[in-house]
Every structure is written in C-alpha cells, then in structure tokens.
Amino acid sequence: MVDYTVTIEKSGKVPDGTAEYPFEFDLQPLEGQELFETYHGVYVNVTYSLKSELIRKYLGKNLTRQIEFIVELPAGPIFDMKSETFTISPENVEPNKKIKGFPEFEIEGTVNGTKCCITQPFEGFLTLKHCGEPIKCIELQLVRVETCGCADGFAKEATEIQNIQIGDGDVPPNLEIPIYMIFPRLFTCPSVAARTFKVDFEVNIVLMFPDGRLVSKKFPLVLVR
C-alpha cells in the first residue's frame, strides 16, 4: 500500500557522539491503493514499518533497524448510539447441533448499539429472568470475522479475540449484570471491506451449563472511528 525510500543524509563521515537526522514524509498510498488502519489479525494483517539503513563502504556491513508504527485514520462524524434490547431463549438461539435437551430459560438485556465507536466501550446489561437448571457461567465473547480472496474464491474464518466472564456460577434470577468491554487496539480496527479482504466483528453472549452444553446469541458489529 505504501513504499517510500528517502535519503536523509548524504555520504560522508558520521561525527563522534550522538548524531540526529530529522525526517518527515506524507503518508500517501500508492496509485490505485488505499490506506487502512493498523490491524493484527489471524489471516489478515495491516502493518506499517520504518526501516533505516546505514550504508557502509568497502567491506563494512550495512547497519539496519526496522520498527513498526501505528496508523489510525481520521475520526469520522459524530453519531448517536442507538441502544438495542434483546431476549435470549431456546426459541431464538442456535445451540450446538450435537447437544440436545436445553432447559427453559430467558435472558433479557440492552446493549448501547451495534454500530460502535472503536475508542468507546461496548456497554449494556442483562438479566437472567429464569432458568430450569443451574448454569456454570455467562460469557461475553469478541470475535473477528476475516474474509480473504484466493484462487478458488473467498475464504471466511471467525476467530476469538477475547472472552470476558460476566457471570460466574449459578447466577440468581433478576440480578442485573453489567456488560462492559474495551475494544483492544491492534486486534480490532474499523470494519473494512476491500477488494481482496474484509474484516468484520461480532459479539456473542454465551450461556454455559456445567456439563458443557452452551447456547449463544450473536450481535454483528459495525466498528467506526
């Protein structure tokens, strides 16, 4: 996406002691390319690095050093978050197809929206209204969904970024449980759809039972800056 080579000091002798050579450049994409924010994923990575090289003459080995720098795109217009209410019950979740026999249960809650500013936390709350069996825990899972172009078409993979346990043990009914999650830098970025790749994100609320059975509710997210 970006490729610059700049000579910041002409050939000559480096003075004794510490020598500083200031430099700057405009970060502009190559023709036909587009800049994206720094992102470290599993199948998609967007990184920017600076490489300095001291060229030595004759038989001296060149000295090089390379470091990564972080790129964030300018913030977009301010928008109002639209809170969303949700209900989780056996009728509106997709349980593991290999496991059957879920008890009657109901979870109600509210999240601050599915279009989220990446610099602000994902917030809300949920309440377990009732459950026919004891539960093990309630978890909040952040997932990246990466789509990559290949010779046979597009490959899509979902992988976990982080998992936060928001309820431990058999949560009592009608207890309001807060939802609070920070989007980790480097491992998240504004949702992007490019010509050869796509990066989306989603949050899953997972209800787990002591014997390993679990059900989850998916919230597709649109992350913006």
Side-chain angles (χ1 to χ4, degrees):
M1 295 183 293
V2 178
D3 186 12
Y4 289 120
T5 301
V6 180
T7 299
I8 60 175
E9 183 66 20
K10 297 180 180 180
S11 60
K13 184 178 180 181
V14 177
D16 295 335
T18 300
E20 295 184 354
Y21 301 97
F23 67 92
E24 65 178 5
F25 57 86
D26 292 330
L27 193 62
Q28 298 292 339
L30 297 174
E31 184 177 355
Q33 298 287 341
E34 182 181 355
L35 292 182
F36 301 100
E37 289 206 8
T38 297
Y39 168 69
H40 293 182
V42 176
Y43 303 100
V44 176
N45 283 277
V46 180
T47 59
Y48 300 84
S49 61
L50 284 173
K51 180 181 179 181
S52 63
E53 184 174 19
L54 176 62
I55 301 175
R56 306 169 74 180
K57 60 182 180 179
Y58 304 125
L59 300 179
K61 184 178 179 181
N62 294 348
L63 303 178
T64 61
R65 174 71 185 278
Q66 183 169 317
I67 62 171
E68 180 183 1
F69 65 94
I70 308 302
V71 171
E72 292 184 357
L73 298 181
I78 299 175
F79 64 94
D80 294 328
M81 299 284 287
K82 296 182 179 180
S83 61
E84 299 183 19
T85 59
F86 63 89
T87 300
I88 306 176
S89 64
E91 289 74 28
N92 63 5
V93 297
E94 296 183 3
N96 188 323
K97 295 181 180 179
K98 297 181 180 179
I99 304 175
K100 298 182 180 180
F102 283 93
E104 286 297 320
F105 67 90
E106 183 179 15
I107 294 176
E108 294 180 352
T110 301
V111 294
N112 58 356
T114 54
K115 181 180 180 181
C116 307
C117 179
I118 197 171
T119 59
Q120 301 297 319
F122 180 79
E123 296 182 278
F125 67 89
L126 61 82
T127 303
L128 177 66
K129 306 302 290 186
H130 64 83
C131 186
E133 294 181 12
I135 66 172
K136 180 180 179 181
C137 62
I138 301 176
E139 297 178 340
L140 189 66
Q141 182 185 52
L142 177 63
V143 174
R144 62 170 78 85
V145 183
E146 299 171 326
T147 305
C148 303
C150 59
D152 299 327
F154 286 87
K156 183 177 180 180
E157 291 289 341
T159 53
E160 181 182 290
I161 300 175
Q162 66 181 9
N163 193 309
I164 301 173
Q165 190 176 86
I166 60 175
D168 183 24
D170 191 16
V171 177
N174 299 315
L175 175 67
E176 188 174 288
I177 300 174
I179 296 172
Y180 189 91
M181 181 179 63
I182 300 293
F183 296 109
R185 191 61 187 98
L186 300 183
F187 303 112
T188 56
C189 66
S191 301
V192 58
R195 182 172 56 88
T196 57
F197 71 92
K198 182 180 180 182
V199 181
D200 295 308
F201 300 92
E202 61 188 38
V203 166
N204 296 325
I205 295 178
V206 181
L207 177 65
M208 183 176 294
F209 295 91
D211 59 3
R213 294 174 299 165
L214 59 85
V215 290
S216 63
K217 177 72 172 179
K218 181 193 304 182
F219 296 88
L221 301 182
V222 176
L223 298 187
V224 298
R225 184 172 294 283

